[in-house]
Amino acid sequence: MTLLEIFQTTFIGFSKAAWQTVLLTFWSLLVGTAIGLVFAFCKISSNKLLNGLAQLYITVIRGTPLIVQIFAIYFGLAEFIVLDSFTAGVFALAIHAGAYIAEIFRGAIQAVDSGQMEAARSLGMSYSLAMRLIILPQAFRRSIPPLGNQFIIGLKDSSLVAYIGGTELWSAGLGAAADNFKQFETYFINGLYYLALILLFTGLLRQLERRLQVEKRGTQG
Amino acid sequence: MISIKGLDKWYNSLHVLRDINLQVDEGEVVVLIGASGSGKSTLLRCLNRLERADRGEIHILGREINQTDKDLDQLRQQVGMVFQHFHLFPHMTVIENVIEAPIHVKKMNRRAAERLATELLQKVGLADKMHSYPHSLSGGQKQRVAIARALAMQPRVMLFDEPTSALDPELVGEVLSVMKELAQDGMTMVVVTHEMGFAREVADKVVYMDEGRIIEQGTPEQIFGAPQEERTQRFVSQIYN
Ligand SMILES: Nc1ncnc2c1ncn2[C@@H]1O[C@H](COP(=O)(O)OP(=O)(O)OP(=O)(O)O)[C@@H](O)[C@H]1O
Ligand SMILES: [Mg+2]
């Protein structure tokens, strides 16, 4: 079997599985972004309890391998509720990415000049209004590049869901290689699918950045 | 209008404000002068509680300002502030900068807010920059937008913390003339500045501070012409040399 033949025989299976990867990544990063936002606020809050909680979460997630987290959620939670591997995968990936995204948001919020908050407060805005209208829009713009980077990592990380019975791209690769015994060629082609997805995503991201830049430029007030 | 009694403030062990007593009447322009580090900004920032004094009382418009947060936001609507480094909102156009607080804090409707903003921007000579972003403005223009932004809340008092210190010399005049006009319109103003010409011409009262204390206060003629305290004399003579 040539590379082309392997490509042809795996095409339908890989394409379907790639779509699964896209869905898995999309949902996990959506939930992960929400988690990240919540914990970013906990971390900048002056409440010691929330602060400690956020610190603990971030330390544990960053200090343990993703595969351990995926197994812990899938098998650990199986004691209490039945989770299909897709749902468990979404949550595990979300909780994992959330820790990194929290740090991205925290950094971006704190990087906004403190004069912005003072100016907003001096106009009579409450803390939360100033956050919403003045600080967060500036912080979001700053977080787009590191967030994009984190999303790329998230997409590749989703391959580990194969090991709890996922049906995404890498599990399709493992299945195909077991059938045709052409490990190198099959995995090579499998990798090209990831590469294509990431190039696609990077392109979209660049367009978004360019649009934001044309719309509203400058960081100096 | 503003009455400060026995104000003290420390930053850790640094005693930055010492027993400050000061009265500002309606329509009065008070200029704070003094060497770097003498506590001028700190005093100004205490007036809208960007800083909290440790001891003493501040009454503004008859209300004690050590209050709950909600009342504090109300107070700040009455007290506008202009900063040395402008702090315009960079993600908004000039007019958005000006209408943001009236719309979201005062609940003014957008149409009315835009009308008010247009008027104010005309007044500071920037009607043609309404839809520009701050990054495309000069320092003098930025500061004039910042003044219009503060005025849009229709405050009773305006605080200025070295509004021209970050500007190139040739841009200082345009900002000072906007401030002069404001003073002529009867706005109550407290101004920290090193522009002694402005102080002489516009101030009703000049307050000289050193090491956290008010050393002397009086009319510009008194402070610049016949200072009583030795420290004031030294400061004033330094300026004119
Ligand atoms: N947040 C802070 N923490 C600790 N010390 C501070 C803080 N802000 C100001 N200080 C100190 O308090 C003193 C008074 O500062 P302030 O900014 O009020 O002086 P100033 O008269 O406005 O000086 P300048 O003309 O340089 O603006 C200075 O010694 C300054 O270093
Ligand atoms: Mg100062």
Side-chain angles (χ1 to χ4, degrees):
Chain A
M1 271 208 289
T2 65
L3 205 59
L4 185 64
E5 280 167 343
I6 295 172
F7 177 79
Q8 285 166 340
T9 54
T10 57
F11 181 73
I12 291 179
F14 279 11
S15 299
K16 281 186 182 159
W19 179 241
Q20 281 297 305
T21 288
V22 169
L23 289 178
L24 193 60
T25 307
F26 175 80
W27 286 113
S28 66
L29 290 176
L30 194 71
V31 177
T33 302
I35 294 175
L37 198 56
V38 170
F39 279 97
F41 276 116
C42 290
K43 227 182 153 190
I44 55 172
S45 109
S46 49
N47 183 316
K48 284 225 172 69
L49 183 71
L50 293 180
N51 228 287
L53 210 66
Q55 190 59 49
L56 181 69
Y57 161 65
I58 290 167
T59 307
V60 168
I61 295 299
R62 291 210 292 201
T64 56
L66 172 56
I67 190 72
V68 174
Q69 294 161 17
I70 291 174
F71 274 41
I73 284 178
Y74 186 61
F75 296 108
L77 287 186
E79 308 264 320
F80 308 102
I81 36 167
V82 189
L83 281 182
D84 61 283
S85 60
F86 183 84
T87 314
V90 165
F91 278 111
L93 293 171
I95 289 169
H96 179 79
Y100 293 93
I101 293 173
E103 285 293 75
I104 290 171
F105 282 146
R106 181 194 58 79
I109 290 170
Q110 287 179 339
V112 176
D113 177 19
S114 63
Q116 293 287 306
M117 178 56 94
E118 291 195 342
R121 298 305 302 273
S122 80
L123 290 164
M125 292 187 196
S126 64
Y127 177 84
S128 57
L129 194 61
M131 252 312 163
R132 189 157 63 77
L133 297 176
I134 308 301
I135 309 299
L136 287 181
Q138 296 182 53
F140 276 132
R141 197 148 316 156
R142 277 169 210 257
S143 13
I144 290 173
L147 220 47
N149 202 32
Q150 188 60 43
F151 286 4
I152 288 171
I153 294 171
L155 192 147
K156 292 188 285 189
D157 280 352
S158 71
S159 58
L160 290 177
V161 175
Y163 298 102
I164 55 169
T167 55
E168 40 58 65
L169 192 48
W170 177 240
S171 70
L174 290 172
D179 285 346
N180 64 19
F181 302 109
K182 294 279 189 183
Q183 270 83 0
F184 174 75
E185 292 86 344
T186 308
Y187 295 147
F188 178 80
I189 291 169
N190 192 260
L192 288 181
Y193 277 74
Y194 279 104
L195 185 62
L197 287 178
I198 282 163
L199 288 177
L200 200 69
F201 172 74
T202 315
L204 289 174
L205 194 72
R206 199 161 298 148
Q207 269 192 329
L208 176 72
E209 274 181 59
R210 198 171 306 142
R211 184 163 319 161
L212 281 175
Q213 217 146 54
V214 174
E215 253 177 48
K216 299 165 177 187
R217 278 200 37 228
T219 50
Q220 263 197 315
Chain B
M1 173 149 277
I2 302 177
S3 142
I4 306 168
K5 286 200 190 100
L7 211 64
D8 277 277
K9 178 168 179 64
W10 284 265
Y11 285 122
N12 302 315
S13 64
L14 186 67
H15 199 172
V16 279
L17 294 180
R18 303 168 188 243
D19 191 29
I20 299 285
N21 294 284
L22 183 65
Q23 192 79 26
V24 181
D25 293 330
E26 174 129 36
E28 214 172 23
V29 177
V30 172
V31 170
L32 301 180
I33 61 172
S36 181
S38 57
K40 307 178 298 291
S41 298
T42 308
L43 175 58
L44 202 67
R45 292 160 59 84
C46 282
L47 294 181
N48 65 352
R49 266 278 302 279
L50 283 179
E51 302 287 349
R52 193 172 196 149
D54 296 301
R55 200 160 64 197
E57 279 179 18
I58 300 176
H59 283 85
I60 293 186
L61 300 161
R63 285 163 61 180
E64 165 62 36
I65 73 162
N66 269 324
Q67 323 164 330
T68 61
D69 281 355
K70 189 124 197 184
D71 291 339
L72 196 60
D73 292 338
Q74 289 243 309
L75 169 94
R76 286 184 176 138
Q77 297 179 36
Q78 313 269 327
V79 183
M81 184 152 193
V82 174
F83 301 86
Q84 183 176 353
H85 295 287
F86 332 123
H87 301 323
L88 293 182
F89 307 135
H91 58 303
M92 297 178 178
T93 61
V94 164
I95 189 156
E96 286 168 346
N97 263 274
V98 179
I99 64 177
E100 198 69 1
I103 288 178
H104 292 280
V105 178
K106 270 196 164 175
K107 311 289 178 203
M108 199 184 273
N109 79 45
R110 179 169 284 269
R111 189 76 63 71
E114 279 173 355
R115 212 174 313 125
L116 173 66
T118 308
E119 221 170 88
L120 288 169
L121 287 170
Q122 262 159 9
K123 195 168 157 168
V124 300
L126 287 172
D128 56 326
K129 295 288 183 186
M130 219 145 43
H131 301 292
S132 308
Y133 280 93
H135 70 88
S136 68
L137 303 180
S138 74
Q141 292 171 331
K142 283 181 191 172
Q143 195 59 298
R144 286 184 283 147
V145 173
I147 293 173
R149 178 178 69 176
L151 290 176
M153 288 302 287
Q154 300 173 308
R156 304 279 303 275
V157 184
M158 285 282 284
L159 310 176
F160 293 83
D161 191 358
E162 302 202 30
T164 58
S165 295
L167 301 180
D168 292 337
E170 73 271 19
L171 302 177
V172 168
E174 62 190 60
V175 171
L176 290 181
S177 72
V178 166
M179 290 169 62
K180 256 178 238 174
E181 227 174 279
L182 200 58
Q184 275 155 15
D185 291 348
M187 177 63 78
T188 308
M189 295 164 54
V190 182
V191 184
V192 174
T193 186
H194 296 294
E195 294 295 328
M196 296 304 154
F198 176 85
R200 267 179 175 281
E201 192 181 336
V202 182
D204 298 297
K205 190 190 282 174
V206 176
V207 175
Y208 171 64
M209 288 181 70
D210 191 25
E211 292 179 345
R213 272 202 192 80
I214 291 182
I215 304 297
E216 191 169 350
Q217 51 179 299
T219 63
E221 292 74 30
Q222 287 169 338
I223 298 294
F224 295 119
Q228 301 300 301
E229 299 288 328
E230 197 201 317
R231 271 192 275 188
T232 322
Q233 287 163 4
R234 222 178 309 135
F235 183 76
V236 168
S237 72
Q238 264 170 12
I239 296 168
Y240 290 106
N241 286 328

